[in-house]
Amino acid sequence: MNEFAILATLAGVHMIALLSPGPDFALVLQNATRYGRATGLAIALGLSLSILAHTILSITGISLFVHQHPQLFMWVQVAGGSVLMYLGLSAIKGLLAATTEPAQTANDAPAVRGQKQAFWKGVLTNLFNPKALVFFISLMSTLVPASMSASGKAMAVAVVFLLSLGWFSSLAWLLSGSRVQQVLTKVAPVIDGLCALLFLLLGGAVVWQAGVFG
């Protein structure tokens, strides 16, 4: 298989993974809906840079090293699960606060204390997700051969990053459009509740799988 075919296959597989609902999608959905476009785009950038880091770590073998050392991988799982549960609890706290305060529009709401916090929330959500670590180890080891040229590997990293940034940015842009906002604002509490439940369940499952309570 030539390098162009490898890159095309990599792009297709990664795009399918991006389209699959998960914590990254939920994070963009929840925050772009409630806090607007700038916050959604900041989260999109944070998620994409974290994916870039995963890709580089996987293609250089560092992620595989972590995965092959059970104790180290366990702490990555604990950290990742804790981040997801924190997001779930934060969403519940925000939902409870919204029920006791006057209704706010997306422009009136405090944008997760600014785009900087939104950016780091995006970074941490993906970076410490052990499922993302395992996925990128599998993706890179399966589709990017060790014999691939340095320029080819650089292109592979660029393809994964640009697809991620394009998808999450487009999602944030779409969800924060004025017409979409009019609809989503009415169901924002439902979105917040479902996202909170997703974060708590995924985070709890990751921590449980780490064997902390076993």
Side-chain angles (χ1 to χ4, degrees):
M1 185 182 294
N2 60 42
E3 292 192 352
F4 177 80
I6 291 172
L7 293 174
T9 304
L10 177 68
V13 172
H14 183 53
M15 196 66 221
I16 292 172
L18 288 172
L19 293 172
S20 303
D24 295 347
F25 180 92
L27 190 69
V28 176
L29 171 64
Q30 180 193 23
N31 288 279
T33 300
R34 179 169 290 278
Y35 300 114
R37 181 163 295 165
T39 297
L41 291 174
I43 287 175
L45 179 59
L47 289 170
S48 302
L49 288 176
S50 179
I51 288 172
L52 175 63
H54 271 301
T55 308
I56 293 173
L57 292 173
S58 295
I59 213 166
T60 57
I62 295 174
S63 290
L64 183 60
F65 172 83
V66 173
H67 190 244
Q68 289 178 336
H69 289 74
Q71 195 70 19
L72 184 56
F73 185 61
M74 183 197 74
W75 287 112
V76 171
Q77 288 180 294
V78 171
S82 298
V83 168
L84 291 175
M85 287 191 291
Y86 169 76
L87 291 174
L89 292 173
S90 295
I92 291 174
K93 181 179 178 182
L95 186 60
L96 292 175
T99 60
T100 57
E101 295 174 0
Q104 292 178 312
T105 65
N107 292 329
D108 295 331
V112 204
R113 298 182 185 174
Q115 278 68 61
K116 184 177 180 180
Q117 183 184 5
F119 168 79
W120 284 111
K121 186 174 285 190
V123 169
L124 294 174
T125 299
N126 186 275
L127 189 62
F128 288 102
N129 184 349
K131 295 186 182 298
L133 184 146
V134 173
F135 170 76
F136 283 105
I137 291 174
S138 175
L139 186 68
M140 292 296 117
S141 62
T142 303
L143 297 180
V144 181
S147 58
M148 193 174 189
S149 66
S151 60
K153 290 179 179 178
M155 283 294 295
V157 171
V159 164
V160 170
F161 171 70
L162 292 175
L163 279 176
S164 303
L165 183 61
W167 164 245
F168 289 125
S169 296
S170 298
L171 185 62
W173 191 275
L174 175 65
L175 292 173
S176 56
S178 57
R179 292 185 179 180
V180 177
Q181 281 282 301
Q182 290 175 3
V183 176
L184 293 180
T185 298
K186 298 176 182 178
V187 294
V190 176
I191 293 174
D192 284 349
L194 290 175
C195 289
L197 182 61
L198 175 64
F199 290 136
L200 287 171
L201 288 176
L202 288 177
V206 169
V207 173
W208 184 268
Q209 289 173 0
V212 174
F213 305 112

